[in-house]
Amino acid sequence: MEAIWLYQFRLIVIGDSTVGKSCLIRRFTEGRFAQVSDPTVGVDFFSRLVEIEPGKRIKLQIWDTAGQERFRSITRAYYRNSVGGLLLFDITNRRSFQNVHDWLEEARSHVQPHSIVFLLVGHKCDLEAQRQVSRQEAEKLAGAYGMRYVETSARDAINVEHAFTELTRDIFALVRSGDITIQEGWEGVKSGFVPNVVHSSEEVTKSDRRCLC
Amino acid sequence: MSDSESTAADGSEAATPSPAAPDVAPDVAPTRKARRRPDAAAPAEAEGAPTAEPPAQTSSESTVSQGGWGYWGSWGKSILSTATATVATVGQGLTQVIEKAETSLGIPSPTELSAQVEEEEQQGDDSSKTDTLAADGSSTVGSAMGMLSSLSSVVQSTGKTVLSGGLDALEFIGKKTMDVIAEGDPGFKKTKGLMNRNATLSQVLREAKEREELQSAEKESSDCEKRVVAHYGMLFDEFQGLSHLEALEILSRESESKVKSVLMTLSGNELVELRDELDQIKDSFSLVEFDDEDVDESKDEDGTEFEKEVTEALEQLSVSFTADKLSTACKTACSQINDMSQTDKKEDEGEEEARKPVSVEEVHAAAIRSLAELTARSIELFHKLSELILFSSSSADPSVLSQLVVVLCKEVSLLSKKFTTCLAAAGLNEKGDILNPLITGVFLEASNSASYIQDAFQLLMPILEISHIQKRAESTQHKLILFDSMGEGKFNC
């Protein structure tokens, strides 16, 4: 039976080609690491439930975009309906880090009139020996754009859960505070289903609390 | 647009009344009638049925022309025409179904009804109870029309496949109609029929899924029925069908507005020339003919035949893309069918204790799941093809694509036939009122699947058009001026 979720958030994952976007998402949604994977064509889709607080589940719908330049004009069309995003670069590839700025600019210009919450992800952190981007400079860049910074590894499953959950929590906080609202014709945030009949006393108190805020 | 309208009308008018319904006037077109909301004017219109046609036609025509050159506004409208195209092909022979359904349900036809009302009114003149009788009459008509409208939406979405399902299907339609009336659920119409023309296909499917989620959430909380329930819409979403459909719609919409922008910049001979070329593309989209009478059940035991046909089509399209997911989905379904029919055979041989026989619910759930998966994967394929067509220099032949649609629809039909054979075998000892709805449920979802595939295929049209314009521009001087002025310099030139 389908688990019940409070909200559905649509997240978009962007970044240069071969930084490991699809691998990160696959690790998160399927729990495995694919040694070989074909370049993404256009966009692919994944989804998973995340429990941000006991009993509070969020369904994440993840749009995995192609990093290749030739697909850029398609992926542009997909920003608008996303509430959040992971911006990936490869810590062993300085060029992919330098392009972070361009990715942000591109996203910001196509997301209007909505805004999008980004998390900067330094991927492939298992390859410490080949590191070309230091944690300090990545954190500095993230700070300059008001983003959090996380270093992950899909191969060794480092911080993968953490990255997605943190982003989800941040968005959830914005939704709860009313900074992000559900809008007709916008797919970024969707309201989920809460059963009419509540089984446990625990859930009763929870729904009461929700009403207060 | 008007072409397909008229074919639909011709189809229903040309249809001969079924022998079971001798009272129904042959020139009445219940399909169109029934589609309307119940209103007081309905019986009056039913009298002069053929003349009641034009208003319906003009109203839909005007919506389309409104779409005109509008940038974003045009989208919903273009879906109108595609939806109609599907309905026109799927809807052939609907008249008979409705007539049969009407007679089997004992519903009088609109003409009968109006005659009845007149009669009652005449009688009413003589009696002192004029007002009450007339009121009674109109309420009968009103509710009957309401019934017909929900009936037609079921039938509409059911289409050809169900026709082959025969009497069971009709029985099911009848039951379903009764359910609809019993629940008084106007939303049903929106879900099952694609008749709500203002909605995009993904919206329709999303709404269906959300309703199912809500239902199952309610069911879960009341935790009564422990039955295996398969929800097509939810499964379709689980296989990411909705997302691919939405992305395909985005691409289609963008391509459509680009095509329009290009056409606007042209004039004179150039415009005529390009229009002609685009019309040729359009033609191959309206030529998709799929007849599930041709589907041979004994063929393709394990899905390899299907894989071969899809691969061949993809090779002809010269795109570097494999339909692995699609083939896997198909093979899984085939092996499930084989497994399930083997259990049945063993059961027949008296080895009942050896293995627990599959329940009809299990077969039904497997069938719905397979159909949802195959449809989702088909739409994923269309989406991927669009992306590749748009961003590679390969030239996609629309006729190969329509061949692909036929292959996909055939497979849907084939699977539904195999699954229902399994169902019938598994449910030998079940009562008809348990088994029949399940069987027709499979046929219904199979038919829906085929409609979704065909509707999604229509979304490819603007993509092929813009791709053609791109290729064309590559060979002329126009290209840079055109695309740069549109801010689309990023096209692979």
Side-chain angles (χ1 to χ4, degrees), chain A residues 125-141:
Chain A
C125 73
D126 54 299
L127 301 173
E128 191 59 46
Q130 297 156 48
R131 184 188 276 273
Q132 290 184 3
V133 181
S134 77
R135 179 183 272 273
Q136 288 76 16
E137 58 181 326
E139 272 170 353
K140 202 176 145 207
L141 181 84

Side-chain angles (χ1 to χ4, degrees), chain A residues 1-5 8 10 26 38 40-48 59-64 69-78 81 106 187 190-199, chain B residues 206 209-211 213-214 216-223 234 237-238 240 242-248 250-251 253-254 258 320-321 325 380 383-384 386-388 390-392 487-488 490-492:
Chain A
M1 188 51 70
E2 180 109 336
I4 296 151
W5 34 273
Q8 173 181 293
R10 182 175 295 179
R26 277 175 183 274
D38 290 333
T40 307
V41 171
V43 63
D44 268 321
F45 307 98
F46 299 87
S47 56
R48 211 194 102 172
K59 183 176 175 185
L60 296 183
Q61 194 189 64
I62 304 162
W63 289 46
D64 176 21
E69 180 66 34
R70 66 183 179 126
F71 290 117
R72 204 60 60 81
S73 65
I74 314 185
T75 48
R76 276 186 205 122
Y78 302 141
N81 276 312
E106 165 141 317
E187 303 288 331
K190 288 269 187 186
S191 180
F193 301 102
V194 185
N196 291 338
V197 188
V198 183
H199 331 247
Chain B
R206 185 169 292 116
K209 184 207 72 168
E210 284 170 1
R211 203 165 295 115
E213 275 175 345
L214 198 61
S216 53
E218 277 163 3
K219 267 215 186 96
E220 198 181 56
S221 55
S222 61
D223 58 75
M234 270 162 69
D237 184 45
E238 209 173 278
Q240 306 296 348
L242 271 182
S243 305
H244 282 290
L245 188 55
E246 190 189 326
L248 176 59
I250 292 174
L251 288 181
R253 183 167 56 211
E254 294 207 328
K258 276 179 202 159
S320 53
F321 188 74
K325 282 178 175 174
E380 174 173 358
H383 172 217
K384 292 289 152 188
S386 321
E387 289 173 330
L388 287 167
L390 280 174
F391 297 97
S392 70
E488 289 299 335
K490 288 262 162 81
F491 272 121
N492 270 3

Side-chain angles (χ1 to χ4, degrees), chain B residues 413-453:
Chain B
S413 172
L414 184 65
L415 282 181
S416 69
K417 282 179 182 176
K418 285 181 180 170
F419 270 116
T420 46
T421 312
C422 271
L423 255 179
L428 266 181
N429 304 319
E430 296 278 357
K431 278 187 193 138
D433 60 346
I434 294 179
L435 185 61
N436 289 352
L438 292 177
I439 290 185
T440 35
V442 172
F443 277 131
L444 180 73
E445 293 303 5
S447 156
N448 280 342
S449 299
S451 314
Y452 300 150
I453 291 172

Side-chain angles (χ1 to χ4, degrees), chain B residues 193-413:
Chain B
L194 289 171
M195 297 313 297
N196 183 4
R197 302 289 179 74
N198 286 321
T200 61
L201 183 57
S202 68
Q203 268 171 349
V204 171
L205 286 166
R206 185 169 292 116
E207 277 171 26
K209 184 207 72 168
E210 284 170 1
R211 203 165 295 115
E212 286 168 5
E213 275 175 345
L214 198 61
Q215 278 167 4
S216 53
E218 277 163 3
K219 267 215 186 96
E220 198 181 56
S221 55
S222 61
D223 58 75
C224 42
E225 286 174 74
K226 259 285 172 196
R227 272 180 32 218
V228 192
V229 189
H231 291 300
Y232 182 89
M234 270 162 69
L235 290 164
F236 182 73
D237 184 45
E238 209 173 278
F239 292 113
Q240 306 296 348
L242 271 182
S243 305
H244 282 290
L245 188 55
E246 190 189 326
L248 176 59
E249 280 170 356
I250 292 174
L251 288 181
S252 181
R253 183 167 56 211
E254 294 207 328
S255 304
E256 195 178 21
S257 54
K258 276 179 202 159
V259 171
K260 283 179 178 164
S261 313
V262 171
L263 285 173
M264 288 232 278
T265 61
L266 296 177
S267 59
N269 274 344
E270 276 180 323
L271 182 63
V272 175
E273 219 173 84
L274 183 59
R275 277 250 161 94
D276 282 349
E277 289 167 21
L278 295 185
D279 281 345
Q280 279 174 17
I281 296 177
K282 282 199 180 80
D283 284 347
S284 43
F285 273 81
S286 54
L287 279 178
V288 184
E289 283 276 333
F290 163 65
D291 190 357
D292 74 349
E293 294 295 305
D294 300 344
V295 179
D296 182 5
E297 230 177 301
S298 58
K299 231 178 67 181
D300 202 14
E301 280 288 312
D302 54 359
T304 43
E305 186 70 21
F306 171 70
E307 188 180 21
K308 209 182 96 207
E309 286 181 57
V310 171
T311 313
E312 269 171 19
L314 289 181
E315 271 166 14
Q316 286 182 63
L317 285 172
S318 63
V319 286
S320 53
F321 188 74
T322 53
D324 290 345
K325 282 178 175 174
L326 197 58
S327 312
T328 316
C330 178
K331 282 180 177 162
T332 316
C334 288
S335 71
Q336 269 182 328
I337 292 168
N338 288 340
D339 286 352
M340 286 187 297
S341 30
Q342 252 147 43
T343 357
D344 295 333
K345 269 175 206 149
K346 278 195 183 141
E347 202 186 352
D348 290 342
E349 289 155 15
E351 290 177 44
E352 277 140 271
E353 288 116 322
R355 215 195 299 187
K356 196 176 159 274
V358 278
S359 72
V360 281
E361 279 87 4
E362 278 167 345
V363 183
H364 177 256
I368 300 297
R369 191 180 181 83
S370 301
L371 287 173
E373 181 170 8
L374 195 71
T375 311
R377 298 297 181 222
S378 302
I379 286 166
E380 174 173 358
L381 178 65
F382 288 155
H383 172 217
K384 292 289 152 188
L385 284 177
S386 321
E387 289 173 330
L388 287 167
I389 290 166
L390 280 174
F391 297 97
S392 70
S393 47
S394 66
S395 60
D397 181 354
S399 63
V400 179
L401 281 172
S402 56
Q403 185 51 37
L404 189 61
V405 172
V406 173
V407 172
L408 294 171
C409 289
K410 249 166 72 181
E411 193 59 28
V412 164
S413 172

Side-chain angles (χ1 to χ4, degrees), chain A residues 76-207:
Chain A
R76 276 186 205 122
Y78 302 141
Y79 289 112
R80 205 190 77 89
N81 276 312
S82 308
V83 67
L86 281 85
L87 205 178
L88 262 74
F89 70 91
D90 174 356
I91 62 155
T92 68
N93 174 352
R94 183 139 200 105
R95 178 91 211 145
S96 71
F97 178 67
Q98 285 160 346
N99 285 335
V100 163
H101 174 79
D102 293 342
W103 280 108
L104 269 181
E105 283 301 305
E106 165 141 317
R108 295 249 153 94
S109 63
H110 286 91
V111 79
Q112 301 294 345
H114 306 279
S115 64
I116 191 165
V117 184
F118 270 115
L119 175 77
L120 185 65
V121 179
H123 195 45
K124 304 189 187 176
C125 73
D126 54 299
L127 301 173
E128 191 59 46
Q130 297 156 48
R131 184 188 276 273
Q132 290 184 3
V133 181
S134 77
R135 179 183 272 273
Q136 288 76 16
E137 58 181 326
E139 272 170 353
K140 202 176 145 207
L141 181 84
Y145 288 108
M147 296 185 283
R148 282 175 193 265
Y149 177 65
V150 179
E151 292 198 342
T152 59
S153 162
R155 178 186 295 173
D156 295 354
I158 302 166
N159 275 341
V160 177
E161 289 288 319
H162 176 74
F164 281 93
T165 324
E166 280 302 297
L167 180 61
T168 310
R169 284 219 177 88
D170 289 350
I171 297 167
F172 183 66
L174 289 168
V175 170
R176 193 150 54 170
S177 68
D179 290 319
I180 296 175
T181 51
I182 298 170
Q183 286 165 42
E184 190 76 15
W186 181 60
E187 303 288 331
V189 179
K190 288 269 187 186
S191 180
F193 301 102
V194 185
N196 291 338
V197 188
V198 183
H199 331 247
S200 66
S201 56
E202 188 200 25
E203 283 189 47
V204 174
T205 48
K206 232 169 244 147
S207 57

